[in-house]
Amino acid sequence: MVETDGTLLVELKNQNPIELRDLTLSFLALGQAYEDYVVSAGHEHIAGNVRLYVKELRSGSVIAELMAGADQAHAFFDNIETIAGFVTSLNDVLQFFLGLPLPTAQPPTKKLAEQLNQIIEPVAKDGGAQFIIQVNGDFHLDKRVTINSRDANAVQNQIGRFLSASVPQDATLRGEVLYLRRVSDETKGNIGDKGTIERLSPKLVPLRFDSHAAKQMILDQPYPFRAAFVVDVDVRTVSGRPALYRILDVTDVIPRPDVDGDEAPEDGEPSA
């Protein structure tokens, strides 16, 4: 078989049988992490347009060669540099949870931590297993993620602490970045208003605005779903997860890095 550049080679060297659910969720999380990276690194502006596809499954333990494809173009995505950057980024976060400093000052998002936790689940459960994720091609053989079962368990323990510490119980936070997903077009009510603060949770959370002025600041924007809002927020949690964001003040408006041109985020429509 002829090796080709620009693909992602994933190898799970297992000693014990792998539960199908764990393997499926591991690959799903890897694909989602790649989609997020492509957008955050500026290689693609439309979330979910470029995805990983299975090019080949090989004999051995579990060996998969994955390639990226662009939905809109229905073609191979020329991405050896993107794949290499993704592997480097994933390894940086892995090493962060093993106690090494990140190359950037920005900590990983909760979403990425959850994805990494799921990616390494199969190797964490198998005491003799090893997981290798690398760029396929001679030039980038140094771009790889390698983790054994002992380190995978250590990483999962650190991720657990990281996630439990990232959402304070019923706390008031300053300077959080809010993305809107749904919002009513009036200041009198909050019915249906929902948004995401990625640092706390990747999920949509209901919003309540503490004042007409705070909501009016959002409604005054010509394209509120193409913007991000820096807010002071009162976070209410249930079982350690955000259940309500009470917006106390909107202090700044910045462009959304994942939205370009006339494209609006999915679900981003005002409610009547």
Side-chain angles (χ1 to χ4, degrees):
M1 185 187 63
V2 178
E3 299 286 350
T4 57
D5 289 346
T7 57
L8 192 65
L9 199 61
V10 180
E11 182 176 6
L12 177 56
K13 298 179 179 179
N14 59 301
Q15 286 192 347
N16 300 318
I18 305 169
E19 186 176 345
L20 180 60
R21 180 179 183 275
D22 289 338
L23 182 63
T24 302
L25 292 178
S26 175
F27 275 68
L28 178 61
L30 182 65
Q32 291 172 339
Y34 177 77
E35 292 174 30
D36 292 342
Y37 171 80
V38 169
V39 173
S40 65
H43 299 290
E44 171 61 47
H45 298 297
I46 303 175
N49 185 43
V50 176
R51 303 178 183 179
L52 288 178
Y53 294 86
V54 177
K55 180 181 179 182
E56 184 178 2
L57 293 175
R58 306 180 190 175
S59 61
S61 296
V62 175
I63 304 174
E65 187 179 356
L66 309 178
M67 61 179 287
D71 279 355
Q72 291 190 349
H74 299 287
F76 179 76
F77 184 63
D78 185 12
N79 68 338
I80 188 167
E81 295 298 333
T82 306
I83 291 282
F86 169 65
V87 173
T88 298
S89 175
L90 194 64
N91 188 61
D92 287 344
V93 176
L94 181 68
Q95 297 304 318
F96 169 76
F97 286 114
L98 286 172
L100 296 179
L102 279 171
T104 64
Q106 188 68 26
T109 63
K110 180 180 178 182
K111 183 178 182 181
L112 180 55
E114 291 174 335
Q115 289 168 339
L116 179 59
N117 189 71
Q118 192 63 66
I119 290 169
I120 63 176
E121 178 71 6
V123 71
K125 285 186 173 181
D126 185 342
Q130 187 180 43
F131 209 177
I132 302 171
I133 303 171
Q134 67 183 36
V135 180
N136 197 19
D138 292 340
F139 181 74
H140 288 292
L141 282 178
D142 60 324
K143 305 293 185 181
R144 65 171 62 197
V145 176
T146 303
I147 186 169
N148 58 30
S149 183
R150 182 189 63 186
D151 286 346
N153 279 279
V155 168
Q156 287 191 330
N157 289 337
Q158 290 300 321
I159 288 175
R161 297 186 184 97
F162 175 82
L163 295 178
S164 63
S166 63
V167 184
Q169 298 291 314
D170 297 345
T172 298
L173 305 177
R174 308 289 178 184
E176 297 293 336
V177 179
L178 169 72
Y179 293 171
L180 291 174
R181 297 298 178 90
R182 300 171 191 167
V183 67
S184 60
D185 57 359
E186 58 182 41
T187 60
K188 294 181 181 180
N190 295 292
I191 298 176
D193 295 351
K194 291 186 177 182
T196 300
I197 299 176
E198 286 187 349
R199 193 183 74 82
L200 303 181
S201 173
K203 297 183 178 180
L204 286 175
V205 174
L207 306 177
R208 297 291 181 269
F209 289 87
D210 201 46
S211 67
H212 294 335
K215 189 167 186 180
Q216 190 62 54
M217 177 108 175
I218 287 175
L219 295 179
D220 284 345
Q221 301 303 312
Y223 302 104
F225 299 105
R226 299 181 200 164
F229 300 89
V230 181
V231 299
D232 296 338
V233 56
D234 186 32
V235 181
R236 300 294 172 177
T237 62
V238 174
S239 299
R241 298 187 177 186
L244 176 68
Y245 295 144
R246 188 163 67 91
I247 308 303
L248 307 177
D249 193 15
V250 180
T251 59
D252 199 5
V253 182
I254 56 178
R256 285 188 60 164
D258 59 334
V259 177
D260 182 56
D262 294 330
E263 296 293 335
E266 189 177 352
D267 294 334
E269 296 183 357
S271 58

